[in-house]
Amino acid sequence: MQDELFMQRALDLAARGLGRVSPNPMVGCVIVHEGKIIGEGWHRQFGGPHAEVNAVNAVADKGLLAEATFYVTLEPCSYQGKTPACTDLLTKLKPQRVVVAANDPNPQVNGRGLAMLRQAGIEVTTGVLAAGAMALNKRFFVAMHRQRPYVVVKWAQTADGFIARKDYNAKWISNAQSRQLVHKWRTEEDAILVGFNTVKYDNPQLTARDWPGRNPVRVIIDPTLGIGTDFNVFSGDEKVLVFNTVADAQQGRVTRVKVSRENMPDEVLAYLYARDIGSVLIEGGAATLTMFINSGLWDEARVFTAATTFTEGIAAPELAVGPAAEQSIAGDRLRIMYNPVTKELWQKS
Ligand code: AOF
Ligand code: ZN
């Protein structure tokens, strides 16, 4: 019971890293001495100190650490990455016990962290709130196992199943609150991706201007490099990647990347993953969403359904998966679906 209580606190701390630490996992740490929290910390930014280090630094009386229990939401890392191995810190401090929620699927850790602690004579308890810890880091778990970013597909459709009118006009399907929620989501993923028709007909900026937080990297699929650069996505400070089948080129913030037509979604995701992009929000249009969905390259779908009807137009993508959650956003119905294949990677069995 006590273990769950402190681990929940560590998970709450970990979640503060959302939108700041990717492609690293969100990790929290609580240090407890005689039933009292004497220090806590979380991984605050990519490349920065790990949760354990921040928690130890927050302890005023370091003399208590040898008698303390550490609650960590992820198995402590056992190798030197951008920062030193947390197992080195822990084996030096030699606390009474280390309680861990989930194992670290990173092949450079993957059980080795736990083994090193036990070898050093530290009592280790695992699996406390494991399901919550894995769900919190669904992006990290999928990315580590699949070697590609976590893919969230998002769209708004009419009650009769259209994503846009026949002329590609997709304006005003979802309401203002749903659209603001999408801006919040943009601050939570590393990249945002759309196809060239969406750039052409919606002319979006693809920024998170209606929510505090960072802007994602903007990614466009434009196979023939047909759209030119006179659209809103090419303004602003954020980087723009244009995947195409014509040429590689670099021009200021805009990088054109050549990929093959046959394996486009795979190659796009591989390129992004190699550049530390841990998650992508795909916002349309229908052809782009369908291309990723049909390749099985999606992990989560967030679908708004408005009361409006169009009678005819461009059909919304179809997913043969029931919703895991459903809610109303000021009258729009929002459903969240998970890919059953990749859900296995972050859902505790
Ligand atoms: C922990 N505590 O707070 C985090 C961990 O490059 P680095 O040094 O930041 O290491 C990144 C890896 O460390 C990451 O891929 C994951 O395996 C682990 N993350 N581990 O013990 C933490 N953020
Ligand atoms: Zn670490």
Side-chain angles (χ1 to χ4, degrees), residues 21 23-28 42-53 72-87 104-109 140 144:
V21 301
N24 276 356
M26 293 170 253
V27 183
W42 66 97
H43 188 40
R44 287 165 176 264
Q45 67 193 68
F46 179 71
H50 285 183
E52 298 90 322
V53 175
V72 201
T73 60
L74 194 76
E75 173 184 3
C77 67
S78 50
Y79 76 105
Q80 162 96 39
K82 290 187 174 61
T83 69
C86 289
T87 47
D104 186 347
N106 183 342
Q108 285 173 282
V109 185
F140 178 69
M144 275 293 144

Side-chain angles (χ1 to χ4, degrees), residues 204-279:
Q205 296 178 45
L206 302 182
T207 59
R209 62 203 169 281
D210 288 341
W211 199 263
R214 70 174 179 188
N215 284 323
V217 171
R218 295 172 291 185
V219 181
I220 297 159
I221 309 272
D222 182 15
T224 64
L225 283 181
I227 55 169
T229 51
D230 290 334
F231 292 95
N232 287 336
V233 281
F234 294 103
S235 60
D237 298 329
E238 255 34 75
K239 274 196 268 187
V240 187
L241 295 168
V242 184
F243 287 94
N244 66 86
T245 61
V246 182
D248 286 310
Q250 179 72 44
Q251 200 174 43
R253 296 183 309 283
V254 183
T255 309
R256 294 189 175 75
V257 184
K258 190 177 171 193
V259 290
S260 80
R261 190 170 278 276
E262 305 71 50
N263 295 317
M264 201 176 298
D266 269 303
E267 290 178 29
V268 168
L269 293 181
Y271 181 96
L272 297 177
Y273 183 73
R275 279 150 190 85
D276 280 342
I277 302 261
S279 66

Side-chain angles (χ1 to χ4, degrees), residues 3-53:
D3 279 357
E4 272 88 6
L5 197 68
F6 291 125
M7 190 59 85
Q8 187 56 56
R9 173 67 186 163
L11 282 172
D12 293 346
L13 295 171
R16 296 184 184 176
L18 182 62
R20 297 165 193 273
V21 301
S22 179
N24 276 356
M26 293 170 253
V27 183
C29 176
V30 168
I31 305 174
V32 174
H33 181 262
E34 290 179 352
K36 214 179 121 217
I37 295 178
I38 56 168
E40 44 183 37
W42 66 97
H43 188 40
R44 287 165 176 264
Q45 67 193 68
F46 179 71
H50 285 183
E52 298 90 322
V53 175

